Amino acid sequence: MSDVRDVIIIGSGPAGLTAAVYTSRANLRPLVIEGEPSSSSDQPGGQLMLTTEVENYPGFVDGIMGPELMASFRAQAARFGSEYLTAKVSRVDFSDHPFRLWVGDHEHQARTVIVATGARALTLGLPNEQRLMGHGVSTCATCDGFFFRGEEIAVVGGGDSALEEAIFLTKFADKVSVIHRRKELRASKIMQDRAFKNEKIEFVWDSKVTDVLGDGAVSGLTVLNTSTGEESQLPVAGLFVAIGHVPNTDVFKGTLEMEDSGYLVTEPGTTRTNVDGVFACGDVQDHVYRQAVTAAGSGCMAAIDAERWLESHEDGPDHLVQTPRNW
């Protein structure tokens, strides 16, 4: 068992590493448990490690590669004293103080914990989809739509998120094909009306993508009509997968309050969870914005919340609140 840390940060995306910068500058000696490179979730650096060009993060006029941006975050936090453990948290116990976390059989203890494990976008599970991720395949229209000016692209999905992405992408693309496996959409009526009225949007019904084509960049899709069994090719320069996100919160089930969808619940205007001394930031508690800059902002909030909590509990907490609050 290691010594008791002032703060342990779980996750190393924009939220976790911003929290690390702030807590290390406050001399809180943060330990960042950054995830595993082989894991599809909780990987070091978060979803930006799968992104090529990032053009909407403030301060980078010419854009920056996602992995390069996260390497800069990491180095900045390390400069002020953040320590890193490249591993995945396997178990937590927040029922008593100090809090206990396990990486395999090794136990770590902390006075405060910042959860920044993020969320992962659901994908189609196709080999070429992963190979071309960031090279024409994307899970974020806000992030990557700009790169498809004048192109024909496709969106997979039938919910509100898929139609929001499709409508947004018509600002750039000449044509957006929405591929849906059924004859009817799951999206709300108002979103359907907007999409049906948009002249740039076409719907490909009763269909699913079975392959992503292209050598180095997306050049088209193989699409299977589930009613007729007929397979065809759809020439597009980009594929946006919009079938949902899943927060990385399995390890906190039964410990931290979460929504039915798995996102952690935080007190409005703060990063406080239902357990005193445990804070959550970034995409693990944000299913609305899901941007690097908003994640970084909430990481800053979590660090300040943790620092203030520690200052107010210098002699140790009188009582840990571990019951859901009516926020």
Side-chain angles (χ1 to χ4, degrees):
M1 185 180 67
S2 57
D3 63 324
V4 179
R5 295 270 182 167
D6 284 325
V7 59
I8 288 180
I9 299 166
I10 310 174
S12 59
L17 293 181
T18 300
V21 169
Y22 274 78
T23 52
S24 58
R25 289 189 76 249
N27 295 322
L28 298 182
R29 304 183 307 121
L31 172 65
V32 181
I33 304 179
E34 60 180 348
E36 294 178 326
S38 60
S39 176
S40 61
S41 63
D42 300 339
Q43 67 172 357
Q47 294 186 68
L48 280 186
M49 297 300 290
L50 303 175
T51 305
T52 50
E53 192 84 10
V54 179
E55 291 196 328
N56 57 3
Y57 199 87
F60 296 92
V61 178
D62 299 319
I64 184 171
M65 301 295 284
E68 183 183 354
L69 178 61
M70 297 321 302
S72 295
F73 271 57
R74 193 180 191 278
Q76 185 176 7
R79 174 192 167 201
F80 295 116
S82 293
E83 296 180 35
Y84 297 93
L85 175 60
T86 305
K88 187 174 181 178
V89 173
S90 55
R91 183 162 62 98
V92 299
D93 183 355
F94 297 157
S95 64
D96 201 1
H97 210 263
F99 301 123
R100 304 163 71 195
L101 306 88
W102 284 266
V103 173
D105 295 328
H106 191 79
E107 179 184 330
H108 298 267
Q109 295 189 355
R111 297 180 65 198
T112 63
V113 172
I114 295 175
V115 178
T117 48
R120 63 190 183 277
L122 295 175
T123 57
L124 303 174
L126 303 172
N128 284 334
E129 174 191 27
Q130 295 303 315
R131 179 176 64 84
L132 293 168
M133 185 67 69
H135 298 277
V137 177
S138 174
T139 58
C140 179
T142 309
C143 309
D144 300 325
F146 179 83
F147 300 113
F148 295 92
R149 286 187 179 277
E151 302 282 4
E152 294 189 5
I153 57 179
V155 174
V156 174
D160 278 354
S161 294
L163 295 193
E164 285 174 8
E165 299 255 293
I167 292 167
F168 176 82
L169 289 167
T170 60
K171 296 180 180 180
F172 310 102
D174 283 350
K175 177 183 174 183
V176 178
S177 297
V178 176
I179 303 170
H180 187 47
R181 58 185 174 179
R182 298 187 180 93
K183 275 186 168 41
E184 296 180 351
L185 299 167
R186 302 187 316 274
S188 60
K189 187 176 185 306
I190 188 169
M191 290 304 302
Q192 292 192 43
D193 289 343
R194 289 175 183 170
F196 290 145
K197 289 177 182 176
N198 194 309
E199 294 180 353
K200 286 189 175 183
I201 295 178
E202 276 191 13
F203 288 88
V204 182
W205 303 106
D206 289 331
S207 298
K208 66 178 184 179
V209 176
T210 57
D211 198 6
V212 184
L213 310 174
D215 183 13
V218 172
S219 61
L221 307 173
T222 301
V223 179
L224 174 69
N225 186 299
T226 55
S227 294
T228 65
E230 183 182 349
E231 207 168 51
S232 61
Q233 289 191 359
L234 182 66
V236 293
L239 170 64
F240 287 80
V241 182
I243 56 176
H245 288 74
V246 177
N248 300 316
T249 54
D250 286 351
V251 74
F252 307 110
K253 286 181 177 176
T255 301
L256 295 178
E257 184 181 1
M258 56 183 70
E259 300 174 5
D260 292 341
S261 56
Y263 287 89
L264 296 183
V265 175
T266 52
E267 180 181 352
T270 80
T271 61
R272 293 196 291 266
T273 69
N274 63 301
V275 176
D276 273 344
V278 178
F279 308 90
C281 56
D283 288 9
V284 75
Q285 53 84 53
D286 169 26
H287 51 77
V288 177
Y289 299 103
R290 293 197 297 258
Q291 298 296 304
V293 68
T294 52
S298 68
C300 166
M301 291 169 61
I304 292 172
D305 286 345
E307 182 181 3
R308 289 174 177 171
W309 191 95
L310 288 164
E311 288 174 351
S312 65
H313 293 81
E314 289 182 354
D315 298 324
D318 297 325
H319 179 63
L320 286 177
V321 178
Q322 294 167 333
T323 54
R325 298 168 176 165
N326 294 320
W327 291 326

